[in-house]
Amino acid sequence: MTERREKKGRRIVQLWLFTAAMGTAVMAVAQLPADDFSRADLLPADSMLSKTMNDSLRIEALMLQIREMELREIMLRTELDNVHHAERAADSIKITEQRRQIDSLRAVTPAVPVVVGQDTLFTIYARQGGLTPRRRAENVQEQILETGKDLTFGKDSLRIENGMSLTDLMYGEKVIFSITDQDACWEHTTRDKLAEQYRVSVSRKIDELKRENGLAQWFKHLGLFLLVILLQAGLFYLTNRLFLKLRHRILLLEKQKKLKPLFVIRDYEVLNTSRQEKALLVMAKGLKWVLILLQLVFSVPMLFAIFPQTQSFAETLFLYIFEPLKLIFWSIIHYIPNLFRIIVIFLCIHYLVKGIRYIACEIEHEKLKINGFFPDWAQPTFNIVRFFLYAFMIAMIYNYLPYSNSVIFKGMSVFVGLMVSLGSTTVIGNILAGFVITYMRPFKTGDRIKLNDTEGHVIEKSPFVTRLRTPKNEIVTIPNSQVMSSNITNHSSSAKIYGLIIHTEVGFGFNVPRQQVCRLLIRAALETPCVLDNPKPFVLETELKDSYPVYQINACVKEVDNLPTIYSELHRHIHDVFQEAGIELVLPHYYAGRDGNPIAMPPEYPEKHPPKG
């Protein structure tokens, strides 16, 4: 393109020189006759004739030169026109090719808008030197905003200056924007037309900015700012007054006894009047702060939106407040189908559990009997089935829970599972032991049992522990794993059907007749409360020591809840019966060491069978 322009310039210079030469020659020819005739009177006739002929020849030669120059001029003009046509054709082809390329790039090249305030003035597609379209747009925005603060700005202050490759939009000595040929190609127009369009848009926007930054507009914004603050203060005052009246009404309800207890369970009032009053006051206070917060949500962004300089911050603040609410609202709307699925699954499992509970209660109360399935298995079995049903329900609804596929949710699930698996070894052992104890049926709730050195009534059987109440009213909690590893003595399992044989041992010297001892022991047993006549008490001679035999009295009872009392009564009757019979409850060791001491019996009982020396 540059070489073509140089050739075109050289040809224009040649044409100008040729035209100047022709003008000089014509002027010379025009001056010749006048000079020659002025000297004609001074020459002879022959000389004049020859001179005239020579002049005629010279004139014809000059005329031929002029015609030759005119022909050359015509040829040069024709060649120059051809060059112009070729250049215009080449430029047209180049522009067409550029536009074709730009049209193919338009679909994939993002346009960078020049946005000032809320208005988009124009868009930029092309680069300029080392500046990207985005950086060019930012520079234009900064220049327009800076110019808009100039109160002396006039619409005619913007001007267009054309260059070889750029058209500049100027304000004073400052360049607002530089337009290139590529920018014009992107907009399918010329640089001059595009510059004029941009000049009108920028001029209008700068004029708006000047009006917005004027003193009158500032006073107007300040007045609106103060008005919003006054309105918000008035709303605060009205809100406080409203809730003071509401608080007074709540206190008045309590004084006038208009509040009644709610949710009364037997003698316990879940919500008595005092709790109701406190709950109402807390609710009123919370409602007041919610209203104040809502007022601030609308008023604070409104205050920032009054001034143009803070409008963008107001929009950002408004988005910070309402975008989360909007996100939550649409998340709830989109989650409704999954929520219905969860509700259906829960209802199905819930009513299935209720049906199984009904069957378990029927079996527990022996209204429904199943061979080989004991009534006390009903509730533990129901608990196991319910656990697995709820576990199955959780597995079904897991994928329908919000954010169940997120990495955080999965990580928390793995962490909880790991903690449970590491910290629940003993717990799982107790649960399994509880299941085994339940289905082994070594005891039931209410039975009197003995676990190692602990004896008492079973008051609770849970999946984790077993609790006993001792005769001293002590509550002993024993882990089920320890129960499994202990010897269990159940005093109640067969006592009500077959009876429980209680026994105690006593020793006498060989000088006391065996038949008399047996008769007195059986008598003492029969006089003991709760001892059955049938089967009849019996005596066993369990051991023969060196100086005395050992007798064991056995008696059958069915009431095992008061075994310590029964044993105490049996011992008391043995004591009384033998003392009434005059038999000392001492061993021969005492006899050997008596040494003349009195008999070891109360004075009211006679000595019927004194010991032999």
Side-chain angles (χ1 to χ4, degrees), residues 285-313:
K285 187 175 181 180
L287 183 60
K288 180 186 78 172
W289 286 109
V290 168
L291 287 178
I292 291 176
L293 183 61
L294 288 176
Q295 294 171 14
L296 292 175
V297 164
F298 287 98
S299 62
V300 172
M302 190 181 300
L303 289 173
F304 286 106
I306 290 174
F307 296 97
Q309 291 78 7
T310 57
Q311 283 182 354
S312 59
F313 180 73

Coordinates of all heavy atoms in Angstrom, one line a residue, residues 285-313:
K285 N -40.1 -9.8 71.3 CA -38.8 -9.1 71.1 C -38.1 -9.6 69.8 O -37.6 -8.8 69.1 CB -37.9 -9.5 72.3 CG -36.6 -8.7 72.3 CD -35.8 -9.0 73.6 CE -34.5 -8.2 73.7 NZ -33.8 -8.5 74.9
G286 N -38.2 -10.9 69.5 CA -37.6 -11.4 68.3 C -38.3 -10.8 67.1 O -37.7 -10.5 66.1
L287 N -39.7 -10.7 67.1 CA -40.4 -10.1 66.0 C -40.0 -8.6 65.8 O -39.9 -8.2 64.7 CB -41.9 -10.2 66.3 CG -42.8 -9.7 65.2 CD1 -42.6 -10.5 63.9 CD2 -44.3 -9.9 65.6
K288 N -39.8 -7.9 66.9 CA -39.4 -6.5 66.8 C -38.0 -6.4 66.0 O -37.9 -5.6 65.1 CB -39.3 -5.9 68.2 CG -38.9 -4.4 68.1 CD -38.6 -3.8 69.5 CE -37.3 -4.3 70.0 NZ -36.9 -3.6 71.3
W289 N -37.1 -7.2 66.4 CA -35.7 -7.2 65.8 C -35.8 -7.6 64.3 O -35.0 -7.1 63.5 CB -34.7 -8.0 66.6 CG -34.3 -7.3 67.8 CD1 -34.6 -7.6 69.1 CD2 -33.5 -6.1 67.9 NE1 -34.1 -6.8 70.0 CE2 -33.4 -5.8 69.3 CE3 -32.9 -5.2 67.0 CZ2 -32.7 -4.7 69.8 CZ3 -32.2 -4.1 67.5 CH2 -32.1 -3.9 68.8
V290 N -36.7 -8.6 64.0 CA -36.9 -9.0 62.6 C -37.4 -7.8 61.8 O -36.9 -7.6 60.7 CB -37.8 -10.2 62.6 CG1 -38.2 -10.5 61.1 CG2 -37.1 -11.4 63.1
L291 N -38.4 -7.1 62.3 CA -38.9 -5.9 61.6 C -37.8 -4.8 61.4 O -37.7 -4.2 60.3 CB -40.1 -5.4 62.3 CG -41.4 -6.2 62.2 CD1 -42.5 -5.5 63.1 CD2 -41.9 -6.4 60.8
I292 N -37.1 -4.6 62.4 CA -36.0 -3.6 62.3 C -35.0 -4.0 61.3 O -34.5 -3.2 60.5 CB -35.3 -3.4 63.7 CG1 -36.3 -2.7 64.7 CG2 -34.1 -2.5 63.6 CD1 -35.8 -2.5 66.1
L293 N -34.6 -5.3 61.3 CA -33.7 -5.8 60.3 C -34.2 -5.7 58.9 O -33.5 -5.3 58.0 CB -33.3 -7.2 60.6 CG -32.3 -7.9 59.7 CD1 -31.0 -7.2 59.8 CD2 -32.1 -9.4 60.1
L294 N -35.5 -6.0 58.7 CA -36.1 -5.8 57.4 C -36.1 -4.3 56.9 O -35.8 -4.0 55.7 CB -37.5 -6.3 57.4 CG -37.7 -7.9 57.4 CD1 -39.1 -8.3 57.6 CD2 -37.0 -8.5 56.2
Q295 N -36.3 -3.4 57.8 CA -36.3 -2.0 57.5 C -34.9 -1.6 57.1 O -34.7 -0.8 56.1 CB -36.8 -1.2 58.7 CG -38.2 -1.4 59.1 CD -38.6 -0.7 60.4 OE1 -37.8 0.1 60.9 NE2 -39.7 -1.1 60.9
L296 N -33.9 -2.1 57.8 CA -32.5 -1.7 57.4 C -32.1 -2.3 56.1 O -31.3 -1.7 55.3 CB -31.5 -2.2 58.5 CG -31.6 -1.5 59.9 CD1 -30.7 -2.1 60.9 CD2 -31.3 0.0 59.7
V297 N -32.6 -3.5 55.8 CA -32.3 -4.2 54.5 C -32.7 -3.3 53.4 O -32.1 -3.3 52.3 CB -33.0 -5.6 54.5 CG1 -33.0 -6.1 53.0 CG2 -32.3 -6.5 55.4
F298 N -33.9 -2.6 53.5 CA -34.4 -1.7 52.4 C -33.8 -0.3 52.5 O -33.5 0.3 51.5 CB -35.9 -1.7 52.4 CG -36.5 -2.9 52.0 CD1 -37.0 -3.9 52.9 CD2 -36.7 -3.2 50.6 CE1 -37.6 -5.0 52.4 CE2 -37.3 -4.4 50.2 CZ -37.7 -5.3 51.1
S299 N -33.6 0.2 53.7 CA -33.2 1.6 53.8 C -31.7 1.8 53.5 O -31.3 2.8 52.9 CB -33.5 2.1 55.2 OG -32.8 1.4 56.2
V300 N -30.8 0.9 54.0 CA -29.4 1.1 53.8 C -29.0 1.1 52.3 O -28.3 2.0 51.8 CB -28.6 0.0 54.6 CG1 -27.1 0.1 54.2 CG2 -28.8 0.2 56.1
P301 N -29.5 0.1 51.5 CA -29.2 0.2 50.1 C -29.8 1.5 49.4 O -29.2 2.0 48.5 CB -29.8 -1.1 49.5 CG -29.8 -2.0 50.6 CD -30.1 -1.2 51.8
M302 N -31.0 1.9 49.9 CA -31.6 3.1 49.4 C -30.7 4.3 49.6 O -30.6 5.2 48.8 CB -33.0 3.3 50.0 CG -33.8 4.3 49.3 SD -35.4 4.5 50.2 CE -36.0 2.8 50.0
L303 N -30.1 4.4 50.8 CA -29.2 5.5 51.1 C -28.0 5.6 50.2 O -27.6 6.6 49.7 CB -28.7 5.5 52.6 CG -29.8 5.7 53.6 CD1 -29.2 5.4 55.0 CD2 -30.3 7.2 53.6
F304 N -27.4 4.4 49.9 CA -26.3 4.4 49.0 C -26.7 4.6 47.5 O -25.9 5.1 46.7 CB -25.6 3.1 49.1 CG -24.7 2.9 50.3 CD1 -25.2 2.1 51.4 CD2 -23.6 3.6 50.5 CE1 -24.4 2.0 52.5 CE2 -22.8 3.4 51.6 CZ -23.2 2.6 52.7
A305 N -27.9 4.3 47.2 CA -28.4 4.5 45.8 C -28.7 5.9 45.5 O -28.9 6.3 44.3 CB -29.6 3.6 45.5
I306 N -28.8 6.8 46.5 CA -29.2 8.2 46.2 C -28.0 8.9 45.4 O -28.3 9.6 44.5 CB -29.5 8.9 47.5 CG1 -30.8 8.4 48.1 CG2 -29.5 10.4 47.3 CD1 -31.1 8.9 49.5
F307 N -26.8 8.7 45.8 CA -25.7 9.4 45.2 C -25.1 8.5 44.1 O -25.0 7.3 44.2 CB -24.6 9.6 46.2 CG -25.0 10.6 47.3 CD1 -25.4 10.1 48.6 CD2 -24.9 11.9 47.1 CE1 -25.8 10.9 49.6 CE2 -25.3 12.8 48.2 CZ -25.7 12.3 49.4
P308 N -24.8 9.1 42.9 CA -24.3 8.3 41.8 C -23.0 7.6 42.1 O -22.7 6.6 41.5 CB -24.2 9.4 40.7 CG -25.0 10.5 41.1 CD -25.0 10.5 42.6
Q309 N -22.2 8.3 42.9 CA -20.9 7.7 43.2 C -21.0 6.4 44.0 O -20.1 5.6 44.0 CB -20.0 8.7 44.0 CG -19.6 9.9 43.2 CD -20.7 10.9 43.0 OE1 -21.7 10.8 43.7 NE2 -20.4 11.9 42.2
T310 N -22.1 6.2 44.7 CA -22.2 5.0 45.5 C -23.3 4.1 45.0 O -23.7 3.1 45.7 CB -22.5 5.4 47.0 OG1 -23.7 6.2 47.0 CG2 -21.4 6.1 47.6
Q311 N -23.9 4.3 43.8 CA -24.9 3.5 43.3 C -24.4 2.0 43.1 O -25.2 1.1 43.3 CB -25.5 4.1 42.0 CG -26.4 5.2 42.2 CD -26.9 5.8 40.9 OE1 -26.6 5.3 39.8 NE2 -27.9 6.7 41.0
S312 N -23.2 1.9 42.6 CA -22.7 0.5 42.3 C -22.6 -0.2 43.6 O -22.9 -1.4 43.7 CB -21.4 0.6 41.6 OG -20.4 1.4 42.4
F313 N -22.1 0.5 44.7 CA -22.0 -0.2 46.0 C -23.4 -0.6 46.5 O -23.6 -1.6 47.1 CB -21.3 0.7 47.0 CG -21.2 0.1 48.4 CD1 -20.3 -0.9 48.6 CD2 -22.0 0.6 49.4 CE1 -20.1 -1.4 49.9 CE2 -21.9 0.0 50.7 CZ -20.9 -1.0 50.9

